[in-house]
Amino acid sequence: MLDDMFDYLEHIRERPVWQPMPGDVRAKFRSDLPVAPSELSAVHDEFMRDILPYSNGNVHPGFMGWVHGGGNAAGMLAEMLAAGLNANLGGRDHAPIEVERQIVRWMIELFGFPKTASGLFVTGTSMANLISVLVARDAALGFETRRLGVGGVERRLIAYASTAAHESLRKAVDCCGLGSDALRLVPVNPRHQMNLAALKQMIESDRRAGFTPFLVAGTAGTVDIGAIDDLDGLAVIAHEERLWFHVDGAFGALGILAPEIAPRLAGIEAADSLAFDFHKWGQVPYDAGFVLLRDGELHRKAFASQAAYLERETRGLSGGSPWPCDFGPDLSRGFRALKTWFTLKVYGLHALGGTITQTCELARYLEQRVAASAELELLAPVQLNIVCFRYRCPDADRANARIVAELQESGVAAPSTTRINGQLAIRTAITNHRTSRQDVDALVDAVLALGRLAVPVDAEVEEAVYD
Ligand SMILES: Cc1ncc(COP(=O)(O)O)c(C=O)c1O
């Protein structure tokens, strides 16, 4: 199995980035409960035949869709070790929790948080955003809200994020019982950064209307185009207005490892909470989300609970309190920290920062290739590793959606789509350390070839291409 996975990584370029799963293969996953045992080798054969070839494709250097990290071999091996130990990191006194605590301390140092801050591995930034909003809610309403719920609360809490913020923030506000309307979307400037004057006006008008503004979320790396909000400016407003300052740094926060990006993140150190993923730009295999809370005590008070069967002791296995389960909703938790620990130690922060720099350079190279072709147009300024562009043609939304689907199905490259000012864009987020200029060239060449095919010269051609 190890050989198979090393071969997979070594020869990844020889595979299609992604390929659709044939119906007969999909049907195999509808088979009955496996009551009788099978040979391990037979199940492994099934994996090689029916699962591996139809995976997501984000290990491939041609994968540029959404914001998917490429993973790494050291992290993969660490996952095997973690599964062998089968440690449960909900609590108790053992070394795996010390690994997680070490990463918490490292992140506190990296992001300039105080030593009293706390942190936790979670599935991803969606969960990290949720935990952050929940702690902020309880800090605003009082911790008795945990017992009484928000039903009887008269003060209607309001949160702010930009129109470019990730949807998971809305989900977080919703899951915290505040109602998704409680998230106000603040307009952005042409570089997709939150308009701070508009934010101030919205806060003022909400206060006048009797609402209680409680949180502002800045984004470090917006999902559509990779914009970084003015975090310093947001920190000042949050301080003046007594708001919780959250930063959604899903992929962009780790830009702090790249010397040319770090200054643009100034203000992140003032956040009350920071959500980010190691599984994106950090190249750690999925999943490895992370949340840092400036005030570790508030964090603990939002989640700690008591149960006789989870009694803490000063000695024995029940020592080592507080436990990770005191800082989040999960009791049973896997050893996500180990693959992250291996990745950070084996490659070092310098190389990980270098990868981030390299993906941004590739984005600028792609930007140049788009600019050099009269058939292509750039739809948004390139600020980090994301390039939004499209093929110029009539009915461009439909044609570019088709180009993306055909690109994905061709196995050559896998960008995704988004809408920029209402226009459908081919969106490429270069996140994988394996991606090179050769992959960017393959993408552009394929877009041009498919674009030329997609331009309906006459109805017959249109029929041939579209049907
Ligand atoms: C800015 C931003 N926030 C939140 C998320 C959600 O992160 P996750 O998919 O790890 O839950 C993403 C995902 O791409 C993102 O780009």
Side-chain angles (χ1 to χ4, degrees):
M1 290 181 196
L2 272 179
D3 280 343
D4 284 342
M5 291 325 290
F6 282 128
D7 285 348
Y8 178 71
L9 297 182
E10 189 179 344
H11 299 289
I12 191 75
R13 276 187 181 280
E14 295 156 29
R15 295 180 167 275
V17 181
W18 174 82
Q19 55 185 334
M21 216 174 165
D24 59 327
V25 176
R26 199 181 295 272
K28 292 185 187 170
F29 295 95
R30 310 282 184 271
S31 60
D32 294 338
L33 269 169
V35 179
S38 305
E39 285 296 329
L40 175 60
S41 59
V43 180
H44 175 217
D45 287 347
E46 269 190 79
F47 168 82
M48 293 303 291
R49 196 185 54 234
D50 299 334
I51 298 176
L52 181 141
Y54 308 108
S55 185
N56 205 46
N58 49 312
V59 169
H60 197 290
F63 190 99
M64 301 174 195
W66 301 275
V67 196
H68 282 31
N72 73 83
M76 175 186 89
L77 294 172
E79 275 287 70
M80 185 194 70
L81 303 181
L85 281 187
N86 194 24
N88 182 343
L89 276 80
R92 293 153 291 272
D93 193 11
H94 51 102
I97 289 188
E98 286 307 330
V99 174
E100 179 156 349
R101 289 188 181 128
Q102 178 163 48
I103 295 176
V104 171
R105 282 191 296 274
W106 284 344
M107 293 306 108
I108 285 174
E109 184 185 334
L110 184 66
F111 288 105
F113 273 43
K115 286 206 164 61
T116 45
S118 53
L120 192 73
F121 271 95
V122 290
T123 40
T125 292
S126 301
M127 181 55 92
N129 281 340
L130 173 56
I131 288 176
S132 302
V133 174
L134 198 80
V135 180
R137 181 200 73 177
D138 290 353
L141 294 179
F143 287 91
E144 65 276 14
T145 314
R146 291 187 63 192
R147 193 166 49 85
L148 302 173
V150 287
V153 175
E154 279 174 18
R155 285 181 301 153
R156 180 84 204 274
L157 296 185
I158 301 291
Y160 304 85
S162 85
T163 51
H166 195 263
E167 185 55 23
S168 57
L169 280 166
R170 185 182 297 286
K171 259 196 206 175
V173 170
D174 167 14
C175 291
C176 289
L178 304 176
S180 58
D181 285 353
L183 182 69
R184 304 271 196 260
L185 296 185
V186 184
V188 292
N189 66 21
R191 292 181 65 78
H192 286 213
Q193 296 167 302
M194 194 191 293
N195 176 332
L196 301 192
L199 168 68
K200 285 184 93 157
Q201 276 168 14
M202 288 166 82
I203 295 171
E204 199 185 309
S205 97
D206 278 328
R207 283 204 206 282
R208 267 203 311 272
F211 294 112
T212 306
F214 84 112
L215 175 145
V216 60
T219 303
T222 58
V223 62
D224 278 333
I225 71 159
I228 301 175
D229 281 332
D230 173 359
L231 302 178
D232 252 341
L234 279 174
V236 170
I237 295 177
H239 182 72
E240 284 169 2
E241 300 283 348
R242 296 180 314 286
L243 304 184
W244 184 279
F245 177 32
H246 174 65
V247 174
D248 175 348
F251 72 92
L254 283 183
I256 202 152
L257 299 176
E260 70 288 358
I261 299 174
R264 293 164 58 195
L265 296 170
I268 205 166
E269 71 290 345
D272 291 302
S273 51
L274 169 64
F276 67 96
D277 289 319
F278 287 106
H279 58 221
K280 294 186 164 89
W281 251 350
Q283 309 298 330
V284 173
Y286 279 85
D287 49 29
F290 200 80
V291 64
L292 264 188
L293 273 291
R294 169 171 226 84
D295 185 331
E297 188 49 17
L298 286 183
H299 187 188
R300 197 191 61 78
K301 279 164 80 179
F303 288 100
S305 57
Q306 283 185 331
Y309 47 84
L310 293 175
E311 197 63 60
R312 314 302 159 86
E313 303 291 349
T314 50
R315 49 184 290 219
L317 192 48
S318 295
S321 184
W323 293 346
C325 66
D326 300 325
F327 295 92
D330 295 317
L331 178 55
S332 290
R333 304 172 65 249
F335 198 0
R336 292 184 184 102
L338 193 66
K339 58 192 169 186
T340 310
W341 196 73
F342 265 71
T343 303
L344 297 178
K345 283 171 83 87
V346 170
Y347 302 103
L349 297 190
H350 204 66
L352 292 170
T355 293
I356 290 171
T357 301
Q358 174 190 313
T359 57
C360 293
E361 280 168 7
L362 285 173
R364 286 197 295 277
Y365 174 65
L366 172 53
E367 180 186 23
Q368 285 162 17
R369 285 228 43 195
V370 170
S373 167
E375 290 162 275
L376 302 175
E377 66 178 318
L378 195 68
L379 292 188
V382 176
Q383 303 181 51
L384 287 176
N385 59 334
I386 300 181
V387 184
C388 289
F389 69 104
R390 69 177 182 173
Y391 191 82
R392 292 179 202 265
C393 56
D395 198 6
D397 283 1
R398 201 163 72 109
N400 280 278
R402 274 198 181 262
I403 288 172
V404 168
E406 278 167 23
L407 262 175
Q408 292 169 352
E409 287 170 7
S410 74
V412 171
S416 56
T417 60
T418 191
R419 284 192 177 267
I420 304 292
N421 300 326
Q423 296 184 309
L424 187 126
I426 301 175
R427 178 182 165 287
T428 58
I430 304 172
T431 317
N432 190 335
H433 60 95
R434 301 178 187 90
T435 305
S436 66
R437 282 192 174 210
Q438 159 192 356
D439 305 294
V440 172
D441 286 336
L443 167 86
V444 175
D445 295 345
V447 168
L448 288 171
L450 288 166
R452 284 167 197 153
L453 274 177
V455 175
V457 177
D458 55 36
E460 216 173 280
V461 173
E462 186 170 26
E463 223 168 77
V465 174
Y466 289 157
D467 296 325

